[in-house]
Amino acid sequence: MQHGRRRVAGGIVAVLVAGSLAASGAGAGARPRDERPVARGDDRTRPPVQPGEVLVKAPAPGRGLERAVAAVSGRVQRSIGRGINVVSVPRGSEHTAAQRLAADPAVEYAEPNYFRSAASHVDGEVGWGVKRVQAPALWGGAPSLTGAGVRIAVIDSGVEADHKDLEGRVIRRFDAYRTGGRDDCGHGTAVAGVAAADHDGEGLAGVAPQADIVSVKVLTYSPDWGVCGAGDAEVIKGIYWVAREGSRAPRADIINMSLSGPGWSQSLEEAVDYAASKGVLIVAAAGNDGSVLVNYPAAYRNVLSVGGAKRRDGGLAWWEHSSFGAVDVVAPAKGIPVIQTDSVTTGGPCTVGGEPRVCADGTSFAAPHVAGLAALLWGRHEEELAALLPTDRVRRLRQWIAGTAEDVEGTPIKVDLKTGHGFTRGLAAADASDDPDRTLLTWQVEGRVLAPWKRMTGTPLTLRSRLVVSNGRGEVQASRHVTFAASRDASFSPTSEQTNDDGYAETVLRSAAGGRRTTLTASLDDGRSLRLVVYVLDRDDNVPGTVPPSSPFSDSLNLADDFDDVFRLRLRDGETVHARVGGLGPREDVALYLHRSSTTDISNPTHPPLREDTQAYADDWTRLKLTVGSDGVRYLHAKGSGTYRLRWWIVSPGMVRNAAATPSTITPNGDGRADRTRITWRVMRSGTMKVRIRNAGGKVVKSANLGRVAKGIRATRWNGRNNKGNLVKGGRYRVTLHWANTAGRISTTSTRVRVER
């Protein structure tokens, strides 16, 4: 999938679909015990937003920004720094208001304030996940690695500083809500415990039991969504606070974000990039949709994305609820023992070592396993890492963790769709980090799930992929010869290249057959190789020129191979497109979007769709209505899964006009010939015509299909009789003329006739 701004010539086709944010299982969403969750459906097809809020970045505050905000009936609420403002807009207008603001010259960019939720799905004793990432072996090694002095920022719902398993090691705190930092969800404390709970003979042990925790409270229980979450504005404030803008020393060495949501956000990516530029390793949960869902911040380039694994028959398997649109590594995600706050429960009852405990599921708890492992490695090489440039420091940690991951049973060899580079291993990473003769290979790729090679513009896809080569210590290896090869029905270039001074060689996949997996293999001159698996969608996704009929259209969408249907519409200034989806079953979910003419890739997350800015349409994503303000192509997009019926039409003002009745008053008589009125109108383009005559109560008394008519002035007559041939009562009647053509356009005009009796 395309991650943020990583675009190349021709663009990368990404699949962006919203996921189920509140995960299943006891304690999912981490809510206070005395509050009931809000019942909501499965929102897989649309990114959730903070109601009535958009984020606007302006080069400078002033009247220009005020004018732009006023034009969308908005108001600047507050600034979150770096020129970014939270702007309130009418509820339901978030997407459309953001696009209108983005088009204003006073605005650099604007986007909805996307909602991110805690990514939970539902001795000190050592949980199976801590054991499986080999943390205890590192504690008992020589030297003993415990993460002492390494700072992990848990950007979450807060961390209880006085918890017995964390006491004395919560060294700094930030609260976006200024409520004292209390963990009102329990989620942040549970996540911190997986990363760094004490191994002191009581409670549970975390991966790095002596690491320090920086508590960054950005999530809180949301009654709007019934889960623990927040808008991007709060998350962004927390990231900048950790990175300590303007300072040489960030407040933390590692950031853990066990939160996710499907909306791509430029302002959130800028915050992530800023933290990475300061040398902070950012680890984030991939999400719990169980599909190709791209979640952010995990999918950004400068984030180590962590998917989920589970135990099976003494081994490991991919956890079936883990999102896999963009995963670098996987870690334990099912049945993870977690520590609790006094007031909130996260997870459900389980047994660990014969003792009753609370366990939780989710990539929320996979991510801190990796963050804790990174803390152990950081502690092992603290002096040399501190001496490196920030970007080199982050790259070494990534190479150690991803380059030593092991394949998960039942998945293809190495970098596959579901588990990325594989399952993280602490001993292997630590051993490699001391071995200058070891070679580590990792892939950095801009997409994993792609649309067919011909997109709307008819140009081939271009997937840019890098093989990163380093030694075991993470030092890059330049001038290594790399040969690339791909499976059949795929083309790429170049076929071979030398690694550059940054230690990577790059190739571009230019085409691949739809409906199947494509394997790209990179081989070094010494025979070492690493495979990368991508998937190309099939059928009519993003294929140019597909036009649905104006009558009901039926099709099915399947997440496995056909994620969305796209239809090309040519619209004129002032026309209004309407669309409806019907025929869905109770477990099926299809949403409608409309994309502007400048969009060459409907699934590019940097081009959010247009939506009608009324509450009715904002709440029902099976309906769409939008009036366009310029001529051009638009793309009607049905996204989701299930069998559906689509009906759409375009209201085109002025195609039929100038209706008049002569005379305007008639007195019908018995012969049906005298006292008729002649109704005339002008047709601007040939089409079929219907006439409907209604009484004052709106009831149709007379209707007729006039058939196909050519451009020009046309006429018909009415003798004051209804469809049965009987004379109508006296009164005022509205004559409405309906025009339609085969392209799905409709237009109406009307006039009035008075009948006297």
Side-chain angles (χ1 to χ4, degrees):
M1 304 242 171
Q2 181 172 335
H3 302 172
R5 287 187 230 151
R6 289 179 290 159
R7 300 188 292 273
V8 294
I12 301 297
V13 177
V15 177
L16 179 62
V17 63
S20 178
L21 295 179
S24 64
R31 61 184 177 85
R33 287 174 175 161
D34 58 348
E35 294 190 40
R36 298 173 61 87
V38 177
R40 290 191 178 270
D42 184 357
D43 290 333
R44 287 174 300 167
T45 62
R46 47 198 178 270
V49 300
Q50 286 289 75
E53 290 186 359
V54 297
L55 301 183
V56 180
K57 185 172 184 179
R63 296 188 61 83
L65 176 61
E66 293 175 1
R67 174 189 48 75
V69 169
V72 295
S73 302
R75 178 176 60 84
V76 176
Q77 284 187 347
R78 62 189 186 278
S79 171
I80 60 174
R82 296 178 66 85
I84 302 173
N85 300 280
V86 179
V87 173
S88 63
V89 296
R91 290 173 70 98
S93 71
E94 297 87 4
H95 289 88
T96 304
Q99 288 216 338
R100 291 175 178 171
L101 283 164
D104 194 285
V107 172
E108 183 175 331
Y109 64 77
E111 58 197 10
N113 189 12
Y114 288 112
F115 184 81
R116 313 289 169 187
S117 67
S120 54
H121 198 72
V122 262
D123 67 348
E125 288 185 44
V126 181
W128 79 268
V130 175
K131 294 176 183 177
R132 200 58 190 250
V133 298
Q134 302 174 328
L138 298 178
W139 304 340
S144 174
L145 302 181
T146 60
V150 182
R151 298 159 297 169
I152 303 174
V154 177
I155 298 183
D156 211 289
S157 60
V159 178
E160 294 298 313
D162 57 355
H163 194 285
K164 62 184 179 63
D165 289 332
L166 300 169
E167 193 171 4
R169 290 185 298 112
V170 180
I171 58 172
R172 291 188 176 115
R173 305 179 79 179
F174 170 83
D175 181 2
Y177 307 96
R178 299 180 180 179
T179 59
R182 184 179 72 87
D183 185 358
D184 58 339
C185 299
H187 189 266
T189 300
V191 167
V194 174
D198 278 335
H199 185 216
D200 59 0
E202 297 181 4
L204 292 167
V207 176
Q210 292 186 18
D212 292 327
I213 295 294
V214 177
S215 171
V216 184
K217 180 176 176 59
V218 299
L219 306 183
T220 189
Y221 178 73
S222 170
D224 280 328
W225 293 98
V227 295
C228 190
D232 281 341
E234 283 67 40
V235 179
I236 291 166
K237 286 169 63 177
I239 294 172
Y240 280 123
W241 182 86
V242 171
R244 203 173 182 178
E245 182 181 356
S247 170
R248 296 180 181 178
R251 289 184 169 93
D253 306 305
I254 299 160
I255 285 175
N256 184 95
M257 285 191 280
S258 291
L259 52 90
S260 64
W264 178 85
S265 164
Q266 183 172 344
S267 51
L268 181 58
E269 186 181 24
E270 286 179 356
V272 164
D273 291 346
Y274 179 83
S277 74
K278 295 296 184 180
V280 180
L281 177 69
I282 304 162
V283 179
N288 306 317
D289 186 74
S291 74
V292 295
L293 172 71
V294 167
N295 273 313
Y296 301 93
Y300 292 131
R301 175 187 55 195
N302 284 318
V303 174
L304 189 63
S305 172
V306 184
K310 65 179 182 180
R311 292 179 289 182
R312 185 174 66 186
D313 300 330
L316 290 169
W318 174 67
W319 183 53
E320 62 275 12
H321 295 290
S322 176
S323 300
F324 57 93
V327 172
D328 292 311
V329 293
V330 292
K334 182 175 177 58
I336 308 302
V338 293
I339 65 176
Q340 300 295 302
T341 68
D342 292 335
S343 59
V344 185
T345 297
T346 296
C350 64
T351 301
V352 179
E355 295 293 327
R357 292 290 184 190
V358 173
C359 293
D361 299 344
T363 55
S364 269
F365 309 106
H369 281 93
V370 176
L373 175 57
L376 298 182
L377 296 171
W378 191 293
R380 186 183 186 98
H381 299 282
E382 183 175 4
E383 290 186 7
E384 62 189 83
L385 288 173
L388 295 174
L389 292 173
T391 53
D392 293 337
R393 187 158 63 235
V394 171
R395 185 187 61 245
R396 287 201 187 186
L397 286 165
R398 290 176 63 98
Q399 285 293 98
W400 291 334
I401 293 171
T404 60
E406 66 177 346
D407 296 329
V408 176
E409 182 181 351
T411 62
I413 297 174
K414 278 308 172 189
V415 189
D416 67 284
L417 290 168
K418 294 182 177 179
T419 63
H421 291 79
F423 188 85
T424 51
R425 300 182 298 163
L427 274 176
D431 290 345
S433 70
D434 290 327
D435 186 0
D437 297 325
R438 178 81 175 270
T439 299
L440 300 180
L441 305 178
T442 62
W443 277 104
Q444 289 186 347
V445 60
E446 293 174 318
R448 300 282 180 84
V449 181
L450 314 172
W453 69 273
K454 278 197 172 182
R455 307 184 343 271
M456 288 184 175
T457 57
T459 58
L461 67 83
T462 51
L463 173 65
R464 192 175 299 275
S465 305
R466 292 177 176 178
L467 181 77
V468 182
V469 184
S470 73
N471 65 13
R473 293 177 59 82
E475 298 163 339
V476 297
Q477 295 187 356
S479 302
R480 294 293 300 269
H481 184 75
V482 181
T483 301
F484 297 103
S487 54
R488 64 187 181 91
D489 299 324
S491 66
F492 62 96
S493 63
T495 57
S496 63
E497 196 174 30
Q498 300 283 331
T499 57
N500 62 16
D501 291 341
D502 291 323
Y504 68 82
E506 188 171 78
T507 189
V508 177
L509 182 69
R510 300 197 181 279
S511 68
R516 67 181 62 174
R517 290 173 174 81
T518 295
T519 301
L520 185 62
T521 303
S523 302
L524 294 183
D525 42 17
D526 61 3
R528 291 184 176 87
S529 65
L530 186 63
R531 296 171 61 195
L532 169 71
V533 178
V534 298
Y535 186 80
V536 181
L537 296 171
D538 202 0
R539 298 178 63 183
D540 61 359
D541 307 80
N542 299 341
V543 173
T546 305
V547 179
S550 56
S551 58
F553 167 83
S554 296
D555 197 9
S556 61
L557 296 172
N558 187 312
L559 285 172
D561 61 7
D562 183 49
F563 200 67
D564 45 13
D565 287 335
V566 181
F567 306 103
R568 182 186 180 102
L569 306 176
R570 186 171 293 280
L571 302 178
R572 299 180 182 86
D573 184 7
E575 290 185 329
T576 302
V577 59
H578 297 253
R580 301 284 188 274
V581 163
L584 296 172
R587 295 178 179 268
E588 297 176 323
D589 191 11
V590 176
L592 293 175
Y593 301 87
L594 191 71
H595 292 262
R596 60 178 59 192
S597 53
S598 60
T599 302
T600 57
D601 172 6
I602 58 92
S603 48
N604 182 344
T606 68
H607 296 285
L610 299 165
R611 293 294 305 178
E612 169 72 6
D613 54 351
T614 66
Q615 190 63 34
Y617 284 87
D619 289 343
D620 184 359
W621 288 66
T622 63
R623 300 190 300 162
L624 184 145
K625 172 187 173 185
L626 196 127
T627 302
V628 300
S630 61
D631 294 353
V633 170
R634 305 299 195 281
Y635 300 102
L636 178 62
H637 181 196
K639 174 184 286 188
S641 63
T643 300
Y644 70 98
R645 293 193 304 273
L646 170 67
R647 182 171 183 266
W648 64 271
W649 64 96
I650 301 166
V651 177
S652 185
M655 283 296 155
V656 56
R657 62 179 70 171
N658 302 337
T662 308
S664 60
T665 300
I666 62 173
T667 305
N669 58 28
D671 63 14
R673 296 181 60 83
D675 293 329
R676 288 192 253 182
T677 184
R678 185 172 185 266
I679 301 165
T680 59
W681 67 93
R682 179 181 290 276
V683 178
M684 306 307 295
R685 182 171 297 185
S686 62
T688 58
M689 295 293 306
K690 297 178 182 179
V691 60
R692 300 287 186 270
I693 302 176
R694 291 178 168 82
N695 61 21
K699 181 180 179 180
V700 176
V701 298
K702 179 70 175 180
S703 61
N705 294 330
L706 305 180
R708 186 170 182 81
V709 298
K711 177 181 178 181
I713 297 176
R714 296 292 176 261
T716 189
R717 294 181 181 275
W718 183 46
N719 59 7
R721 294 177 178 267
N722 61 21
N723 286 327
K724 295 180 179 180
N726 300 323
L727 293 173
V728 301
K729 296 179 180 180
R732 293 181 65 83
Y733 289 81
R734 177 178 290 275
V735 180
T736 304
L737 296 144
H738 297 263
W739 171 92
N741 68 1
T742 56
R745 283 180 166 78
I746 64 173
S747 187
T748 62
T749 187
S750 64
T751 187
R752 291 185 180 275
V753 175
R754 183 174 182 82
V755 177
E756 293 183 347
R757 295 293 303 275

